[in-house]
């Protein structure tokens, strides 16, 4: 069965990224997920899953015994992710849903992984984050990556090219999404093209556990 046009365009962008900055995106996803401190048996949400690029490394991180839920609002992306999960026999349930109204009960997940949509949410970003926080268990890890270029990268030819295509690469890192009083690890990943914010939802009345050894990217 053929991949939709949207899915094809999206995959093509990652191919260009891979060739231009010489990073292998699946390996980079694996590296980021390995820093989150997920454990066998954990239940994790791939938030705005797209084509499912985070699904294999998430499943590896929570095996054995864990499970991954994936959501996206695009039927094309749901179809692509469902097919990928089936082909790779991953323990994933994929549902079509809006990030502003997640179809999960409160405190469902040990971890929520988000890559690539939150910048587009504009003034709805906080609403999306409130939903992520609602469905995360106290002490659960939340990781958010999206376009956000390092200063160094903005001076490169490729960086300038990307900014012309998508001005969101210049957006400041939205650290205001981290709840007050919560310590976050903030860095760059994907060769300095994306920001990465990682933090844990505070335990109620308790101490915040620390997030693992996430390395800022190049
Ligand atoms: C750039 S893609 C990233 C996909 C995936 N996370 C990845 O890392 O490959 C952004 C995804 O967010 C989804 N999306 C955008 N707005 C959304 C919303 N309000 N609710 C759910 N999904 C949304 C899009 O359909 C798209 O699949």
């Amino acid at each position: 069965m053929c991949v939709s046009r949207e899915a094809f365009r999206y995959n093509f962008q990652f191919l260009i990224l891979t060739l231009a900055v010489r990073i292998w995106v699946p390996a980079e996803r694996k590296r980021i997920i390995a820093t989150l401190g997920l454990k066998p048996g954990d239940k994790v949400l791939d938030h705005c899953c797209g084509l499912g690029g985070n699904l294999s490394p998430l499943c590896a991180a929570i095996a054995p015994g864990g499970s991954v839920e994936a959501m996206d609002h695009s039927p094309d992306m749901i179809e692509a992710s469902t097919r990928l999960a089936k082909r790779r026999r991953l323990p994933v349930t994929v549902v079509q849903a809006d990030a502003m109204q997640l179809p999960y009960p409160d405190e469902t997940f040990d971890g929520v992984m988000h890559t690539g949509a939150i910048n587009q949410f504009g003034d709805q970003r906080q609403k999306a984050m409130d939903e992520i926080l609602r469905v995360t268990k106290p002490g659960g890890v939340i990781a958010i990556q999206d376009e956000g270029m390092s200063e160094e990268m903005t001076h490169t030819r490729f960086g300038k090219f990307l900014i012309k295509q998508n001005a969101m690469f210049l957006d400041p890192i939205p650290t205001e999404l981290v709840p007050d009083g919560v310590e976050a690890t903030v860095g760059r990943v994907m060769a300095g093209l994306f920001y990465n914010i990682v933090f844990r939802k505070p335990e109620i009345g308790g101490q915040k556990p620390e997030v693992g050894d996430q390395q800022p990217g190049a």
Side-chain angles (χ1 to χ4, degrees):
M1 191 163 171
C2 69
V3 182
S4 75
R5 193 172 296 180
E6 186 182 2
F8 177 80
R9 195 169 47 231
Y10 182 58
N11 254 351
F12 186 68
Q13 284 170 12
F14 269 124
L15 179 65
I16 298 288
L17 195 70
T18 302
L19 294 175
V21 290
R22 295 185 191 167
I23 50 163
W24 179 233
V25 174
E28 183 69 348
R29 289 180 188 272
K30 195 173 163 190
R31 187 186 76 77
I32 296 165
I33 288 167
T35 67
L36 302 183
L38 295 169
K39 302 178 302 301
D42 276 355
K43 187 168 183 175
V44 176
L45 174 63
D46 187 5
H47 184 264
C48 300
C49 61
L51 295 174
N54 283 329
L55 292 179
S56 289
L58 283 175
C59 287
I62 50 83
S67 63
V68 175
E69 303 266 343
M71 56 72 56
D72 199 286
H73 70 174
S74 154
D76 284 346
M77 297 300 181
I78 293 300
E79 195 187 338
S81 277
T82 303
R83 198 169 321 123
L84 179 140
K86 209 169 166 188
R87 200 173 59 240
R88 298 190 185 167
R89 298 179 186 197
L90 301 173
V92 177
T93 307
V94 188
V95 298
Q96 187 177 0
D98 185 358
M100 306 307 153
Q101 203 172 4
L102 295 175
Y104 310 105
D106 296 357
E107 302 182 2
T108 299
F109 298 103
D110 301 291
V112 176
M113 176 76 175
H114 172 97
T115 309
I118 205 151
N119 283 0
Q120 302 162 31
F121 293 166
D123 60 8
Q124 297 273 86
R125 279 183 201 178
Q126 189 58 57
K127 192 172 178 188
M129 179 54 83
D130 289 346
E131 272 295 87
I132 290 174
L133 282 161
R134 180 183 67 74
V135 301
T136 306
K137 293 177 188 171
V141 68
I142 295 171
I144 309 284
Q145 305 93 42
D146 212 345
E147 298 103 337
M149 214 178 265
S150 65
E151 166 76 16
E152 192 186 354
M153 200 66 190
T154 62
H155 300 302
T156 65
R157 194 181 290 182
F158 183 57
K160 286 176 186 161
F161 167 78
L162 285 180
I163 291 162
K164 259 194 193 162
Q165 315 302 313
N166 179 358
M168 281 191 286
F169 276 107
L170 284 179
D171 281 0
I173 303 179
T175 49
E176 69 280 3
L177 295 176
V178 178
D180 286 347
V182 171
E183 265 179 49
T185 305
V186 179
R188 308 272 179 185
V189 292
M190 304 273 182
L193 297 174
F194 279 50
Y195 61 79
N196 186 25
I197 304 174
V198 185
F199 64 95
R200 287 190 183 271
K201 177 172 168 175
E203 302 275 4
I204 299 155
Q207 286 203 322
K208 294 166 282 163
E210 280 182 17
V211 172
D213 57 342
Q214 190 249 332
Q215 301 292 322

